[in-house]
Amino acid sequence: MSAAAAFAGGIRRGSLADVEAVLALEALFPSDRMSRRSVRRFLSVPSAQLLIAEDANADVVGNLVWLRRKGGHAARIYSVVVAPAARGQRWGERLVSAMETAAAASGCARATLEVRADNTAARALYAKLGYREAQTLPGYYDDGSDGLRLSKTLSV
């Protein structure tokens, strides 16, 4: 799939032109932010994809980074961010669904992610999309908060 290829639902593959928009979204949240260096790296390595959600005005309202090890059969959702003003419009769902489609098309049979145990909104979204708890991660986050590893079998 080319870097400019579009996904359904206002989702497209990210490019270096999106770095500032991704960093602006990251700045809206108090912790676990990606750095400029990380964003640029995710956009340049073959083991990562950054998906961008755009609204009808072509404003960036969300993004998702997913990773895949060379020769691996699992996709790992590294980060999902949706602007607070765009919540409730199914952008998170669309980003995750677009990632699953791309991951399955590239041969991934499973998707995994880590989520804060206290993030009830994200946990509800992932449960709705078929993700199941695979492991509890005590003290996983920098602030000492617990995490959960979730997993889903993808239709290849």
Side-chain angles (χ1 to χ4, degrees):
M1 179 177 309
S2 73
F7 293 85
I11 308 298
R12 63 174 174 78
R13 183 118 181 232
S15 71
L16 287 173
D18 295 309
V19 170
E20 295 306 320
V22 170
L23 292 173
L25 284 172
E26 290 287 324
L28 298 173
F29 299 93
S31 64
D32 301 319
R33 293 186 201 145
M34 286 190 291
S35 67
R36 177 180 306 277
R37 181 178 178 191
S38 293
V39 173
R40 292 181 65 81
R41 177 164 166 69
F42 289 137
L43 287 165
S44 64
V45 297
S47 60
Q49 279 192 30
L50 191 148
L51 302 179
I52 298 292
E54 288 184 331
D55 67 12
N57 299 316
D59 293 326
V60 175
V61 295
N63 66 72
L64 180 149
V65 174
W66 69 279
L67 310 170
R68 179 181 182 200
R69 288 194 174 123
K70 185 176 182 177
H73 297 286
R76 178 176 175 240
I77 298 174
Y78 178 80
S79 175
V80 180
V81 177
V82 175
R87 292 208 177 136
Q89 299 173 35
R90 299 182 59 218
W91 289 112
E93 183 177 334
R94 287 184 259 187
L95 282 162
V96 172
S97 294
M99 180 285 308
E100 291 173 352
T101 299
S106 72
C108 291
R110 184 170 54 94
T112 65
L113 63 99
E114 293 80 31
V115 63
R116 290 176 68 100
D118 61 1
N119 188 340
T120 56
R123 289 178 62 191
L125 169 67
Y126 295 127
K128 175 183 173 185
L129 295 175
Y131 286 81
R132 301 292 174 245
E133 187 176 326
Q135 184 179 2
T136 302
L137 306 167
Y140 183 77
Y141 290 95
D142 287 341
D143 65 1
S145 294
D146 294 341
L148 299 171
R149 181 161 293 126
L150 306 180
S151 182
K152 177 182 179 178
T153 300
L154 300 177
S155 300
V156 180

